[in-house]
Amino acid sequence: KQWYQRRVAITAGETVDINHPPEIRAEAAAKATVAAFAASEGHAHPRVIELPKTEEGLGFNVMGGKEQASPIYISRIIPGGAAHKDANLRRGDQLLSVNGQSVEKASHETAVDLLKNAQGKVRLVVKYTPKVLEEMESRFERQKASRRGRAPQ
């Protein structure tokens, strides 16, 4: 209980003490509310993840790219791979950069080349946006079905 009384909220890396003035506590509560809402809607703050590059790769697959009018997303975490063992990367993470190089407007091929050519520890910046990934996968399924001449089920 004492610990709870000392900490009111943690937002964007700052701890707000219960002894702070009411306006600071109110601002922290508002930030926490916005962050919670954003997370519930599938939006999150960017995170940095470092993965070791092994002979098997980084242990995940990506989909998307500018040619598909879509961001690059982590579509699969490979069981037993580096990403799976690290447990910080998630299916639904949007890939923002690889070793400091932005892939936000990159083609699929460019992003894959950056990942394949990376060596040693690979620094990824990602943010979790699963609802956008679900929408993108749904759109791809509709496109595949229309190419086959039938509607998706």
Side-chain angles (χ1 to χ4, degrees):
K1 186 172 180 176
Q2 226 173 359
W3 177 85
Y4 177 76
Q5 289 173 337
R6 299 289 300 160
R7 290 177 74 172
V8 173
I10 299 175
T11 54
E14 62 184 282
T15 302
V16 177
D17 193 287
I18 195 142
N19 296 322
H20 277 104
E23 59 274 4
I24 291 177
R25 292 194 317 260
E27 182 182 347
K31 285 181 181 178
T33 301
V34 168
F37 176 76
S40 74
E41 291 296 305
H43 303 288
H45 294 289
R47 328 185 296 286
V48 176
I49 297 173
E50 290 188 347
L51 294 175
K53 181 79 175 271
T54 68
E55 289 182 16
E56 292 82 33
L58 293 164
F60 64 89
N61 294 344
V62 296
M63 67 182 297
K66 74 176 182 182
E67 65 278 11
Q68 298 165 353
S70 164
I72 305 290
Y73 278 92
I74 307 304
S75 59
R76 179 173 178 247
I77 303 293
I78 299 169
H84 182 252
K85 291 175 185 172
D86 179 73
N88 285 307
L89 195 63
R90 301 167 65 175
R91 182 180 183 282
D93 276 334
Q94 179 184 343
L95 186 60
L96 303 176
S97 72
V98 177
N99 287 336
Q101 279 197 263
S102 175
V103 295
E104 289 186 80
K105 296 178 182 171
S107 69
H108 183 83
E109 182 180 4
T110 298
V112 169
D113 286 346
L114 282 171
L115 292 165
K116 283 186 175 181
N117 294 326
Q119 297 178 356
K121 274 218 183 277
V122 180
R123 185 182 179 101
L124 309 172
V125 178
V126 299
K127 68 179 177 179
Y128 189 58
T129 54
K131 287 190 176 188
V132 179
L133 175 63
E134 289 170 15
E135 291 168 8
M136 187 173 80
E137 288 178 330
S138 177
R139 186 180 70 201
F140 288 159
E141 285 303 314
R142 286 192 304 273
Q143 288 172 346
K144 280 197 314 194
S146 70
R147 283 194 296 267
R148 289 188 297 241
R150 59 181 181 84
Q153 299 171 5

